[in-house]
Amino acid sequence: VEWAERGAADSSARSTLFRRELLASALQIQQAFASQNQTNNFVVDEVSRKVYLATVNMVYQLNGTLSVEVEKRTGPVEDNLLCHAPQLPQAPCEHPKSLTDNFNKLLELDREQGVLVVCGSVYQGFCELRKMENISEIAVEFPPHGEKTVFPSMLNIAANHPNASTVGLIFRSHGGNTRLLVGATYTGAGTQFFPKNHSKEDLRFENTPEIAIRSLNINDLSRLFTYDINPSEDNVFKIKQEVKQKNKLNFVHAFIQKTYAYIAINNDANMGHKQNQPNSILARICLDTENTRKSTSESRKLTESFIQMPLQCGYNGNIYNRLVSVHPAAIHSGSGEGLESHLFGVFTKSDRKSALCAFRFSDIEEEIRQGRRNCSNSPSSDVQVLDSVIQGSGAACVHKGNLVLQPEQLDCGAAHLQHPLALRRPLRATPLFESLGLSSVAVDNIHNHTVVFLGTSTGRLRKNLTVANQWALKLPAGESVHHIMTFDPMDRNYLYLMTSHHLLRVKVAACGQYRSCSDCLGAGDAHCGWCTLESRCSIQRECSGWLMVRSWIGMGEGPQQCPSMTLTPQEISLSDVGILINGSVPDLVGSRVECDYGLGVATVATVHLDYGPAQIQTCPLLPRERYPHIPSGRDHLMVPVAIKVNGTSVVSGTFLIYDCERTGAIHPKIACISCLSTRWRCYWDQNSHSCLSTKDDSKPSLLEVSYPSPMCTSRMYCVNKALPFVPSLSLSLSVEVYNCGVGSGDCSQCWGREDQGHLCGWCDNICRTRDDCQYMSSQCPDPEITKISPLSGPLEGGTLLTVQGRNMGRRADVVKVSIGMVPCKILPYRYTVSVQLVCVTGQTFDPTNDVVRVTVNQNAMGVSKEVYSYLVPKLLSMEPRKGSRSGGTRVTLRGEYLDTGSQVRVKVNGTQDFVVCTSGGRTITVTGQGFDLVQSVSMEVLGIGQDACKVQSTSMITCSSLASSQSQQATVEFLLNGVLYTGDGPAFDGPDQEEEEEPHRGHFLLEYVEDPQFFTANKEKLIKHHPGEPLTLIINKGPSDLDLAPEEYSVMIGSYPCDISFHNNQLFHCTINGSLGSSEGELPVTVRVGNFERIIAKVQLGGSELAIVVSIVVCCVLLLLCTVALVVYCTKSRRAERYWQKTLLQMEEMESQIRDEIRKGFAELQTDMTDLTKELNRSQGIPFLEYKQFVTRTFFPKMCSDYERSLVQPVYENDALGPRALPETHPLLQDWQVWGLNHVVCSLASLLTIALHGKLEYYTSIMKDLLVDLIDASAAKNPKLMLRRTESVVEKMLTNWMSICMYSYLKETVGEPFFLLLCAIKQQINKGSIDAITGKARYTLNEEWLLRENVEAKPQNINVSFQGCGMDSLAVKVVNTDTICQVKEKILEAFYKNLPFSQWPRAEDVDLEWFASGSNSRILQDLDNTSVMEDGRKKLNTVTHYQIPEGASFAMSMKDKRDNTLGRGRSQTHTHTHTLCHLVLPHDEPFENKKSHRQSHRKKVLPEIYLTRLLSTKGTLQKFLDDLFQAILSIPAERPPLAIKYFFDFLEEQADKRGITDPDTLHIWKTNCLPLRFWVNILKNPQFVFDIEKTDHMDACLSVIAQAFIDACSVSDLQLGKDSPTNKLLYAKEIPEYKKRVQCYYKQIHEMAPLSEQEMNAHLAEESRKYRNEFNTNLALTEIYKYAKKYRNQVVSALESNPTAKRTQLHHKFEQVIALVEDNIYECSSEA
């Protein structure tokens, strides 16, 4: 926004300060209404000017002067936040109600229908329609009495909480229907507005949208307040429940611009996270106010046109990120193109700083068009679809080819385009004005000037035209200004604004304070102008005849247009006067124009020229006798004259009346000269020696020249003569005696006395009377200059140059001075004839040096000997660089030519000039900031004295308190750099400072209290002490109001300082460890605090002989005891040493081996993680099982393969009698007793799940009902044991339900880290030696599978080609201890790693051929004729056995299926494992060391030392395990676990209903449902999720991880010791951290927005739809039927005993089903 510049030139600093003294009177409160209750909203009727004000519990109808016409009480009422509105039919409430204040949330005026919409916070945001003419009456009763079809959405309109925001507006669609747009903050469950002890079944907030367009047609009550466009569309904007925490919308204001509705919003969910990111949003909705669509019956959905963009006020980190007030206004753009619409907004930051920014609506509209264009044609990151809205069209912008959008589609979108949209790039603006605490804004365009009104939170109303022109008005009680301000619709010179308890009507200008036209137009107030015909400053509308041209002069025309007059002639004796009136004056023809001379008499003026801005009037003068007498000693008189138009003075001036007779009489000595040299025309009569005003041609002796002539020299004078005294002559003379020789040192001084009437002349180099000069010449010698000062000055000139000399002229007007070619203007009042003059130097553009020239009468010239220099002062340094805003800092300036000129002044940023020039005693600490600017500081205690302080740091000053004679409260002031400190703000007046003024700024209170009292413990005055011993005194402090710090105390005993230690505020110890020595017998104990010093006791030094004797005896006894103890110790030490020598040799070897093993383990721990990360191939795909395989393996873990072949494939798809054709060999038809009762229960539950998989919402309801019964049964016994095992159908149903609901989350979020962990475990195990017989390995997590032997495994690479695999040869990494079968498995993994494991060939199905050298090859096997025997066991062949070198070449091929030896080596291995060995004996005894029993004991090794390898493996896998647990125990924003939230809320609700408040019980329930029931099962059985091989060793490692996860979910603390199993000890350190994660996860689930039944059912329906037709439900139903048939009697008995089942005849229906399946037609028909 280009602010309009002031038309007049900038005023001086003095006039600016003068204007600021009048700031408070620039705005005037015209009317005010005070409310006892807090105000909420107000609205003004633009026709009747009535004002409607809504406060807490009251609504007022006021007239234009804010007087009350009608008032209506609206509260308090009986209400509860959890209850529906009582207007809702059949809406009972079980919660207790209490009196609740009604805060008005919405107040809108509908003039066409004559109603006032009043919405309050009670009754869930209920709205009333009241009559505009009388608000005490209801215009429309809604809902109508007896109406049954009323929904909560028709009643719940506004926000139902005092602190929640609501905005709205009323508009009319093109069909004439009135609509109400409402935006309300969501206040439902999960927000700060909702009660903490709420019910999960609350329905009021689930269906209330954030933005809605509702019907407001009072003639159609059935649809009143509904937002249905037609039966299939909702005109709402509702945010999804799961993302409401990220969209906490706080609405600021809604307004209409063109055909759009704009809503200003803040997203409070972002506050506090990114302070430099904008949180303000401007949303736009197209309104159907014009018939722009093809069909008049077609209406646009709200979300189709909804688009939002961020607003950013500020740049580069200085961003005001919260919007508090907006105001649209059309202002002058400054480019001459008329008015342009802008949106003004006040933005704030967290530190109360605020700013005003403006945005062009044209920029907003163009950004919206470009955003829609980008979304459809070139999707980019600048625009996105709001997928958080339920009614949206999708989650992303979709490229639609060459689609060309029409202008209407670019502006308002369409149903086939993505909607709603959000622009990501904010619209930025630079702050126009910054201040503290701005709260509201209103803007107006006044005569092409933009005027901004700003309300503040401290109760001020500011009026801003430019940054320099500001006015402020203090409002009543300093109350914060509401963010909405409204101009009077009939007179925009008045502004309505509201504070917390007042409604005010403020006049925007107080022009009457300016008394002159120049003051009026120079004030800079666009509202004020000069009313010419009324000669006063006023608002334009208050000037009568303001419609006439040039009758009102505005600020833009400038003070030069003020009326002025020019008189011709200006000096008159007696005649008419002609007056030229300049400036902006209206046409005066036809008006009564007269001249007023200020004497009570006016003459009628004649208008001679009646066109153009300048007009000439002729005014006849008054008779001479009507004017006042000319004062004595003067020859003229100034007469005022004013032009009056219709009796009002328009312009004024003065003219001069003179009297020539008085001119001659004033200077009688030189009367002739005075008469002829005056500025008006006079004539000298030589005969009568008089001065005449008129010329008489009959008198030839009249002189009329302007300069003196020789004829003017006749006068009487005496020279050295005495006047004869004639007594008879009556003569009165005034005689002046003078001496020409005195006081005339040069020619110019001598002739200069002529102006005094002295007839002196210069002759013979001396001044004499003219008669004494024989030869006399009036020409004087050339001027002589003796001195000039100063010798230099700045280029700008203005220096006062003093010139001294001789013969420098007789008068100032004949002397000219110059410096070279630069003139120097003489100051006549400082001219001394001939000897001295002072002139003001002129300006030059370049530095120069030149002499000073003095010219007299344009011919005589003198030149100075000294040179004057024009110099440029340069400032090189300044110390200090910073200073206090209060002033007083000594500043030292260094530079060049700083003494240039006649006067040196220094200004800092326009400040005022300053001259550069070179008991008590308690420490008072002053804290603050910027103390590095302080050079001197002193503290003055008023009424006591003043003392200097010390600056300790930039934030601390210390002072010593002064002594006071009595207890009192004193005022303290601080002088910083000699200037009184008055507060933190700058020490100048202005509108900004008025708001922050506080009483007694800079004054502090200091309280003097009585001195403290000290005494010893027993109050003794004399304390005896033996010299040489430590001394400790106990000193008590009496009660005192002093809050003394320990460091303020000091105690002296004589001249010895005492160490003080405090026990409490009233007691401390004084200790001296050294010896006290003194020639005196007594030492005083002195306590000091500040200047306070008191002797409280004396220490008497006594003898110490007895103490010495006692000390000697004690020392002798101690020496004897020590000797005895030493002898005993030495004896026992020799015995222990002999025993130690025996075991030392045994320990050394064992320690060495343990040290080596630990060192190896540590090295492995440091390197394995890096190696594993490098080896792990992340590129291979994750072999997820299909959903149907996952379900069957999870539901039927022991028979998954059978079910995959039967349930997954719908074998009876086209056979109506399919279920009866089921083969009897199906595994489910086996005897139930084979598997046991638990298996029967689980199978039945799983079959029910398969049968109802297509109706998961129905399945969920069944499960919940069964769970309620289970909870009731458990709550009666031990609730903590519920769901611990799977012993009932419902528990297995819950397991299956969790598996179905969590599959997507498992696959999308947890699948990748879980698979990486499995790969990492396998890689780490394969990295070391693995015993092929026992499966034990060097690296593992399970102690039972640890290879407790130091078998070194050296890695080596081999090159393998696989015939028929279609791949080149690969380099495979193996270890030298691998068996041939293990090598085959590693080769197969290298070739088939990107395929599911089910497609891999087995190691037994392939042959491995080694090409040793040349053409020799050999097929390798685990056992062959080269195998060796060790201790009676045959050892499997390894890489070392065959001595395979590094880089050996191998070929692998598939075995012939006809080969009878298929799997020979493997079968032998499995058949004769009791006779085979690999690395260790099967019972973990190292076979290599079996014979070592006959060898030395030095070969013994403790197998426990190898437990460190568990830690090595754990450390290597830790990152992958942490990533897995983090994925399980986190809530991704894009995929929140809805089922978990829903089920946990169900458990919490059931606990609340049963009064279970123990948090551990609820924690156990949740753990048994999710972690233990689902995640542990997945962790232990990865084959349920992936198509991989799960070896026994991997299963053991996963058991350890699952145990750690179980411990993390437990509420009890683990009690571990040295005997605890390693499976629990391994992760004991991490368990506490994992527990915190689990608790945080449960807390995050609890804080999620609750799911309604509708949203959950929609989610379940979507899950059912995704996997439709995946399972053979007929087979599942047949299996369920078999179970029902077997237990038919029990089922029928149970149904007959249940009242509900009996009432619905379920047992008969059950019999019908059995009869139908068994084809018993007759029985079925009879039952029917």
Side-chain angles (χ1 to χ4, degrees), residues 1161-1170 1512:
F1162 179 76
E1164 291 171 354
L1165 181 63
Q1166 298 301 318
T1167 59
D1168 281 359
M1169 185 64 203
T1170 303
S1512 174

Side-chain angles (χ1 to χ4, degrees), residues 1145-1203:
L1145 294 178
Q1146 300 176 9
M1147 294 290 294
E1148 285 182 353
E1149 182 65 22
M1150 190 176 297
E1151 286 182 4
S1152 178
Q1153 293 184 12
I1154 293 175
R1155 190 179 300 111
D1156 291 342
E1157 185 64 28
I1158 292 176
R1159 186 181 296 108
K1160 292 178 181 178
F1162 179 76
E1164 291 171 354
L1165 181 63
Q1166 298 301 318
T1167 59
D1168 281 359
M1169 185 64 203
T1170 303
D1171 296 342
L1172 180 59
T1173 304
K1174 292 179 180 178
E1175 293 174 4
L1176 192 58
N1177 186 3
R1178 289 287 300 276
S1179 63
Q1180 68 183 70
I1182 300 177
F1184 281 109
L1185 291 175
E1186 295 183 5
Y1187 175 75
K1188 52 190 176 184
Q1189 296 172 316
F1190 167 77
V1191 167
T1192 53
R1193 296 190 182 192
T1194 308
F1195 289 7
F1196 310 100
K1198 297 183 179 181
M1199 297 186 299
C1200 58
S1201 60
D1202 297 325
Y1203 276 110

Side-chain angles (χ1 to χ4, degrees), residues 1156-1172 1324 1327-1329 1338-1340 1346 1349-1353 1506-1517:
D1156 291 342
E1157 185 64 28
I1158 292 176
R1159 186 181 296 108
K1160 292 178 181 178
F1162 179 76
E1164 291 171 354
L1165 181 63
Q1166 298 301 318
T1167 59
D1168 281 359
M1169 185 64 203
T1170 303
D1171 296 342
L1172 180 59
Q1324 185 66 6
K1327 187 174 182 179
S1329 300
R1338 178 183 180 90
Y1339 299 108
T1340 184
L1346 176 64
E1349 177 62 28
N1350 189 14
V1351 180
E1352 293 293 338
Y1506 299 114
L1507 292 178
T1508 56
R1509 294 176 183 170
L1510 299 178
L1511 294 176
S1512 174
T1513 307
K1514 172 202 167 187
T1516 306
L1517 302 176

Side-chain angles (χ1 to χ4, degrees), residues 64 163 198 243 270 307 368 519 721 728 783 836 845 876 950 1102 1177 1188 1227 1229 1346 1572 1605 1639 1643:
N163 298 330
H198 61 271
V243 294
N270 299 331
I307 189 169
I368 290 175
D519 289 344
K721 296 180 180 179
S728 62
Q836 180 173 310
F845 298 98
L876 301 180
K950 293 182 179 180
N1177 186 3
K1188 52 190 176 184
L1229 302 182
L1346 176 64
L1572 302 188
F1605 188 73
Q1639 294 172 355
K1643 181 180 179 182

Side-chain angles (χ1 to χ4, degrees), residues 1512-1531:
S1512 174
T1513 307
K1514 172 202 167 187
T1516 306
L1517 302 176
Q1518 189 63 46
K1519 175 183 180 299
F1520 300 96
L1521 183 60
D1522 288 343
D1523 291 345
L1524 174 61
F1525 282 4
Q1526 179 64 28
I1528 293 176
L1529 301 175
S1530 62
I1531 303 177

Side-chain angles (χ1 to χ4, degrees), residues 335-352:
S335 59
E337 299 179 357
L339 300 180
E340 185 175 5
S341 295
H342 287 72
L343 178 65
F344 290 82
V346 169
F347 296 78
T348 63
K349 294 195 291 187
S350 57
D351 53 2
R352 285 190 68 242

Side-chain angles (χ1 to χ4, degrees), residues 244-396:
K244 284 187 182 292
Q245 292 296 325
K246 297 182 180 179
N247 295 272
K248 298 180 180 179
L249 304 185
N250 184 282
F251 295 90
V252 179
H253 187 46
F255 59 92
I256 295 178
Q257 174 75 15
K258 296 182 179 178
T259 60
Y260 311 116
Y262 288 90
I263 306 177
I265 312 171
N266 288 305
N267 188 355
D268 289 345
N270 299 331
M271 297 301 292
H273 296 289
K274 299 178 181 178
Q275 288 299 321
N276 286 328
Q277 294 297 324
N279 301 321
S280 305
I281 299 171
L282 181 66
R284 193 181 84 173
I285 303 169
C286 291
L287 304 178
D288 290 326
T289 55
E290 297 180 1
N291 186 10
T292 58
R293 301 177 67 86
K294 296 180 180 180
S295 173
T296 58
S297 62
E298 182 183 2
S299 297
R300 179 186 292 109
K301 291 174 61 176
L302 180 151
T303 52
E304 289 180 12
S305 65
F306 184 94
I307 189 169
Q308 66 181 37
M309 68 173 64
L311 296 181
Q312 177 177 321
C313 182
Y315 290 89
N316 301 329
N318 184 30
I319 295 177
Y320 299 85
N321 58 0
R322 182 171 177 81
L323 183 63
V324 296
S325 178
V326 293
H327 187 92
I331 64 172
H332 189 66
S333 61
S335 59
E337 299 179 357
L339 300 180
E340 185 175 5
S341 295
H342 287 72
L343 178 65
F344 290 82
V346 169
F347 296 78
T348 63
K349 294 195 291 187
S350 57
D351 53 2
R352 285 190 68 242
K353 293 182 179 179
S354 53
L356 174 68
C357 280
F359 307 87
R360 289 184 174 89
F361 273 106
S362 57
D363 295 340
I364 295 173
E365 293 169 358
E366 181 57 33
E367 287 288 329
I368 290 175
R369 295 190 192 99
Q370 188 60 41
R372 282 205 170 91
R373 191 179 294 113
N374 290 341
C375 186
S376 298
N377 297 334
S378 58
S380 65
S381 59
D382 292 339
V383 61
Q384 66 179 5
V385 179
L386 277 176
D387 58 347
S388 60
V389 179
I390 294 178
Q391 298 81 8
S393 62

